[in-house]
């Protein structure tokens, strides 16, 4: 390569090369003149919002994570509030050793302003404990609205001492935005990471030097195929991923009624007293109500047109549906959570039996109600 001093793309951390356009880290020779120097993939994401698909497989990711346990470091684990149970790295504890973990919950701007943030913090702590993750603090932030970062920086300062800071998270949780904020506050570097709504933007560990000789270490986003957002075409991410505060939709349902969420998922109210269900999904998601005994036929005939997105052409690339039967206990405040789609709060006190149909592999669980 013409300039031996250039090793890494300052957007995604991958090793740069000028020979093989189809491979990672490629940039044209003349692009070496640019500052900051970024690979062609990052250049396209940054300037055209267009991704070239490259992700890291799970084994490599876990191997990389296991290095953290051998270091003396502070770990920031960032999760997406909208996809909380889908973006939490539940095996994290066995990789980070005794290093302190700050759990940063992004996208709080999606919840109503009237949310009780103390209750939300308690809920997050309970869920983390349920997943076996020991955390020293929960910090609620909105990367989009620039909320909560002062407190995060204070806590990083409190726990860091003379240590590196590792940032871990799934794809699409707002990790790059968070790191760019840390760079601004802790370092005099001119660079920014590539931020994008596409999965797997950061490809290799990126070491960002701090003024005291330590580093912020950005790790690639782990790709969880249990999230609906990882299975759909790029064109449909806009329908699934909310970018404005959620407007919950409430449906009064009788036993034997069904809700379709485009052609992405379906909920059957199989058994129970008449009750209401509150859907916390992206405002762009079309919801269609029908009778359960018509639901199969309706899907056969109208998936991809009346029930859309995705379109018929894009539907063929998504795995066939599987059915999850869930029992909602009497008197419980319960969410039915579908990773990448959102959640449905069951408001009845009499209990219910719900069937959720989603593409095979997508995570579906019940959990204590978030709101």
């Amino acid at each position: 390569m013409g300039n031996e001093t250039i090793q890494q793309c300052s957007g995604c951390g991958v090793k740069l090369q000028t020979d093989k356009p189809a491979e990672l880290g490629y940039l044209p020779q003349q692009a070496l003149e640019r500052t900051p120097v970024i690979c062609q993939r990052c250049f396209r994401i940054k300037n055209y919002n267009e991704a070239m698909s490259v992700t890291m497989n799970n084994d490599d990711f876990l191997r990389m994570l296991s290095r953290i346990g051998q270091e003396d470091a502070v770990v920031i684990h960032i999760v997406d509030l909208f996809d909380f149970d889908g973006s939490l790295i539940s095996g994290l504890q066995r990789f980070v050793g005794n290093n302190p973990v700050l759990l940063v919950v992004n996208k709080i701007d999606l919840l109503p302003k009237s949310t009780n943030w103390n209750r939300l913090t308690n809920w997050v702590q309970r869920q983390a404990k349920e997943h076996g993750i020991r955390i020293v603090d929960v910090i609620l932030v909105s990367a989009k609205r620039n909320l909560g970062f002062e407190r995060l920086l204070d806590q990083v300062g409190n726990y860091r001492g003379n240590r590196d800071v590792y940032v871990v998270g799934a794809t699409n949780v707002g990790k790059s935005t968070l790191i760019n904020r840390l760079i601004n506050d802790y370092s005099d570097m001119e660079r920014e990471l590539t931020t994008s709504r596409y999965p797997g933007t950061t490809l290799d560990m990126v070491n960002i030097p701090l003024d005291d000789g330590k580093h912020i270490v950005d790790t690639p986003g782990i790709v969880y195929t249990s999230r609906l957002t990882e299975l759909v075409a790029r064109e449909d991410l806009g329908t699934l991923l909310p970018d404005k505060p959620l407007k919950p939709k409430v449906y009064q349902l009788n036993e034997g009624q069904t809700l379709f969420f485009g052609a992405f998922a379906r909920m059957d109210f199989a058994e129970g007293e008449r009750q209401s269900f509150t859907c916390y999904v992206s405002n762009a998601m079309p919801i269609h109500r029908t009778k359960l005994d018509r639901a199969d036929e309706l899907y056969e005939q109208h998936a991809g047109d009346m029930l859309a997105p995705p379109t018929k052409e894009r539907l063929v690339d998504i795995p066939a549906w599987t059915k999850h039967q869930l029992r909602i206990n009497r008197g419980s405040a319960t969410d039915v959570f579908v990773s990448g789609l959102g959640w449905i709060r069951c408001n009845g006190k009499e209990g219910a039996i719900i069937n959720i149909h989603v593409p095979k592999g997508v995570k579906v669980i019940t959990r204590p109600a978030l709101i």
Side-chain angles (χ1 to χ4, degrees):
M1 199 159 136
N3 185 341
E4 285 310 311
T5 56
I6 293 161
Q7 291 296 312
Q8 280 186 312
C9 165
S10 69
C12 68
V14 78
K15 203 167 175 184
L16 292 169
Q17 51 92 10
T18 54
D19 308 325
K20 298 176 183 144
E23 291 184 14
L24 283 186
Y26 174 75
L27 79 170
Q29 187 73 39
Q30 68 272 21
L32 290 171
E33 308 303 313
R34 276 202 302 260
T35 43
V37 182
I38 53 177
C39 70
Q40 188 171 50
R41 178 174 170 275
C42 284
F43 182 79
R44 287 185 176 168
I45 290 174
K46 213 173 163 71
N47 294 293
Y48 309 116
N49 212 9
E50 139 194 345
M52 295 153 79
S53 59
V54 183
T55 50
M56 186 177 226
N57 76 37
N58 234 347
D59 297 345
D60 289 346
F61 182 81
L62 296 177
R63 237 195 322 279
M64 197 184 57
L65 267 190
S66 61
R67 278 174 37 191
I68 302 177
Q70 298 152 23
E71 305 281 334
D72 182 21
V74 173
V75 180
I76 296 178
H77 177 13
I78 177 166
V79 294
D80 175 348
L81 181 60
F82 181 66
D83 192 14
F84 185 86
D85 298 85
S87 61
L88 203 66
I89 303 173
S90 53
L92 185 67
Q93 200 59 50
R94 65 175 190 272
F95 297 107
V96 297
N98 293 319
N99 289 323
V101 177
L102 291 167
L103 187 62
V104 174
V105 181
N106 189 21
K107 304 194 187 173
I108 60 165
D109 54 285
L110 295 177
L111 293 188
K113 289 205 168 43
S114 59
T115 302
N116 180 326
W117 301 112
N118 288 337
R119 280 225 331 245
L120 179 65
T121 301
N122 293 338
W123 182 90
V124 169
Q125 282 166 329
R126 282 198 305 274
Q127 292 300 99
K129 197 169 172 186
E130 196 80 1
H131 284 273
I133 301 177
R134 291 199 303 275
I135 52 179
V136 292
D137 201 2
V138 169
I139 296 154
L140 305 177
V141 304
S142 161
K144 189 176 174 182
R145 299 256 176 276
N146 206 1
L147 300 169
F149 283 103
E150 301 313 320
R151 179 148 181 270
L152 171 60
L153 293 167
D154 287 348
Q155 290 300 66
V156 170
N158 288 342
Y159 287 101
R160 191 167 83 85
N162 189 26
R163 299 193 277 192
D164 290 336
V165 180
Y166 279 79
V167 184
V168 299
T171 51
N172 261 337
V173 295
K175 201 153 60 64
S176 297
T177 313
L178 170 98
I179 297 237
N180 287 333
R181 182 62 204 262
L182 289 171
I183 295 172
N184 284 338
D185 282 75
Y186 273 122
S187 156
D188 50 11
M189 284 182 61
E190 286 300 297
R191 65 196 260 179
E192 279 208 350
L193 293 168
T194 308
T195 53
S196 144
R197 69 185 306 172
Y198 300 125
T201 307
T202 308
L203 294 172
D204 210 343
M205 287 215 185
V206 184
N207 287 319
I208 300 145
L210 297 174
D211 298 341
D212 63 2
K214 292 295 171 183
H215 292 86
I216 293 170
V217 185
D218 183 28
T219 61
I222 184 170
V223 176
Y224 282 130
T225 50
S226 54
R227 304 161 82 195
L228 190 55
T229 38
E230 300 288 1
L231 301 180
V232 305
R234 203 178 290 151
E235 295 83 351
D236 291 324
L237 281 177
T239 308
L240 284 169
L241 292 172
D243 61 351
K244 295 191 170 64
L246 301 175
K247 295 194 177 99
K249 294 175 183 151
V250 183
Y251 291 86
Q252 293 287 341
L253 298 183
N254 295 317
E255 179 180 286
Q257 286 189 302
T258 287
L259 297 178
F260 277 99
F261 298 85
F264 290 120
R266 139 183 173 196
M267 180 196 100
D268 303 335
F269 180 19
E271 225 175 278
E273 303 283 316
R274 176 178 167 84
Q275 56 185 278
S276 74
F277 295 86
T278 308
C279 301
Y280 291 89
V281 295
S282 162
N283 304 335
M285 176 62 66
I287 302 178
H288 183 89
R289 184 202 317 225
T290 188
K291 289 196 165 77
L292 175 53
D293 52 19
R294 281 203 55 223
D296 288 346
E297 184 192 341
L298 188 76
Y299 186 79
E300 293 286 297
Q301 290 174 358
H302 292 292
D305 49 54
M306 184 172 87
L307 300 174
T311 58
K312 276 188 162 51
E313 299 77 53
R314 298 208 283 268
L315 205 50
V316 295
D317 297 324
I318 297 178
W321 282 2
T322 47
K323 180 167 102 172
H324 300 254
Q325 187 171 80
L326 305 169
R327 180 177 290 278
I328 310 300
N329 295 326
R330 297 182 80 126
S332 68
T334 301
D335 288 339
V336 172
F337 168 83
V338 180
S339 183
L341 177 75
W343 67 94
I344 301 156
R345 172 161 173 157
C346 308
N347 301 317
K349 288 284 167 260
E350 298 301 311
I353 290 175
I354 307 289
N355 295 326
I356 298 282
H357 304 253
V358 286
K360 185 175 166 48
V362 171
K363 181 178 208 165
V364 176
I365 59 165
T366 56
R367 66 182 190 190
L370 169 68
I371 294 180

